[in-house]
Amino acid sequence: MSRTGPDRGALSAPLPEVASWGTDPYADALRNGHGPLFLRRTDGWLLPLDVERWCAVADAADLSALSRCEGPVLDIGCGPGRLVAALAARGHRALGIDVSEAAVTRTLRLGGAALHRSVFEPLPGEGRWGTVLLVDGNVGIGGDPRHLLHRTAELLAPGGLLVAETAPQDIDERVLVQLDDGRAAGSGPAAADPFPWARLGTPALLRYARPHGLHPADQWDADGRSFVSLRRDRTVRNTSQSPDPRNSTAVISSQFPRNTSRDSPLYGS
C-alpha cells in the first residue's frame, strides 16, 4: 500500500507521503512481516491493514487479478512485492513503485523490479503500460480518486487495462488517517502525520473512472475481496512523457525480461 498527495502541479516539491509511509510503524511491520497495523481515522475508527497477507506469497484472490494482466505491468503501491514477484515468475515484465524504502527493499529481495517513487512523479514508460494495478486499497492513494484515475490513464497505453481492488461495500469516503501500530501512547514510535485517504466501492470507482476514458471490462469477487478491471479508450492520445527518457529506457530495457508478446504495447519498442 502506498499514498501520495493530490497536487500534481508541484512535482518538484517534497512529497508528504514519503514521511508518512516511511515512518517506523509501517517500515517495521514490513521488516517483521506482520502487524498489528491500522489506518486510524480522526474519529478513532481503525481500519486493519493485512500486513501478513501482503508479506506472504500471492494467494488465490491475487492470482485471479494477475491472470487478467496484459503486457508490461505497473504495480502502484507495490508494498513488499508479492504481486511483482508473482508476475515475474509468470514471465510478465513487471515494475513496482512505492514511497516506502522498506517496501522497495523487500520487493527487490524477492527478485522483483521496483522503484522508490510516487505515482505522481515521472515514471518509466508513461503511456505504454499494458496493465496498471491498484490493489490492497491503493485506490485510496492521495484521497482524491479523480486525480489518481487521471494519472492512471496517463500511464496506460491506449487500450490498456486498470485492475483495481475495491471495498466490498458501496462506499465513497475521503478521510484523514494516521498509521497506527495499536500500541498505547508513549510505548512506541511517535505518531505518524495524518494524510488524506479514500475508500471506494466498485460503483464509486466506475463513476470516477469514466471521465478519464476508463470503462468497465470485468468485475469479480474472490475470497471475500472485490475487483474490477477497466479498459482505457484506444482513441485517447496520451501526451504525458517522462522528462527523463534515459531513465525510462534503462528500467524497461535492463530490469525486465525480453518476452514481450505481439499484442503488448511495448512489442517492438
Side-chain angles (χ1 to χ4, degrees):
M1 185 176 280
S2 170
R3 181 179 73 79
T4 170
D7 183 8
R8 191 167 178 251
L11 290 177
S12 60
L15 293 169
E17 78 275 11
V18 174
S20 296
W21 288 94
T23 52
D24 286 345
Y26 182 65
D28 287 349
L30 294 192
R31 293 187 190 104
N32 296 332
H34 61 80
L37 190 66
F38 307 89
L39 290 181
R40 178 189 289 275
R41 262 184 349 207
T42 53
D43 62 3
W45 180 86
L46 295 175
L47 174 67
L49 301 180
D50 200 349
V51 178
E52 289 83 358
R53 179 171 61 78
W54 298 348
C55 291
V57 298
D59 61 19
D62 296 327
L63 295 179
S64 75
L66 301 187
S67 67
R68 290 165 164 83
C69 291
E70 304 170 356
V73 182
L74 179 67
D75 184 6
I76 295 173
C78 65
R82 76 186 190 285
L83 302 183
V84 176
L87 285 164
R90 286 157 177 77
H92 277 275
R93 300 166 69 184
L95 174 68
I97 58 168
D98 205 290
V99 296
S100 163
E101 289 187 26
V104 171
T105 296
R106 185 155 180 151
T107 300
L108 296 173
R109 190 177 298 132
L110 289 178
L115 293 176
H116 181 213
R117 201 167 298 181
S118 160
V119 64
F120 295 113
E121 293 181 275
L123 293 172
E126 297 204 9
R128 294 191 291 160
W129 292 98
T131 304
V132 168
L133 297 177
L134 285 171
V135 181
D136 297 331
N138 285 332
V139 294
I141 286 174
D144 185 345
R146 293 181 180 88
H147 186 61
L148 177 61
L149 291 166
H150 171 76
R151 178 59 174 148
T152 301
E154 288 183 326
L155 294 168
L156 281 167
L161 204 65
L162 166 62
V163 177
E165 182 175 356
T166 58
Q169 311 92 348
D170 184 3
I171 189 171
D172 183 358
E173 178 183 66
R174 275 168 287 285
V175 292
L176 282 177
V177 295
Q178 290 175 289
L179 286 165
D180 190 317
D181 63 6
R183 285 184 274 188
S187 66
D193 292 333
F195 56 87
W197 196 253
R199 296 176 66 219
L200 298 180
T202 297
L205 179 67
L206 296 180
R207 285 197 306 273
Y208 291 128
R210 193 173 298 110
H212 303 293
L214 296 166
H215 303 287
D218 197 5
Q219 297 180 41
W220 70 99
D221 294 326
D223 291 343
R225 296 164 62 191
S226 299
F227 298 88
V228 59
S229 63
L230 303 99
R231 192 167 298 280
R232 181 175 180 262
D233 287 342
R234 296 183 183 275
T235 56
V236 175
R237 178 175 175 80
N238 188 339
T239 58
S240 174
Q241 298 292 334
S242 170
D244 187 357
R246 294 171 299 173
N247 186 45
S248 298
T249 301
V251 173
I252 291 176
S253 298
S254 65
Q255 293 191 16
F256 299 146
R258 289 199 171 276
N259 60 350
T260 312
S261 63
R262 289 183 178 273
D263 60 353
S264 165
L266 295 187
Y267 179 78
S269 63

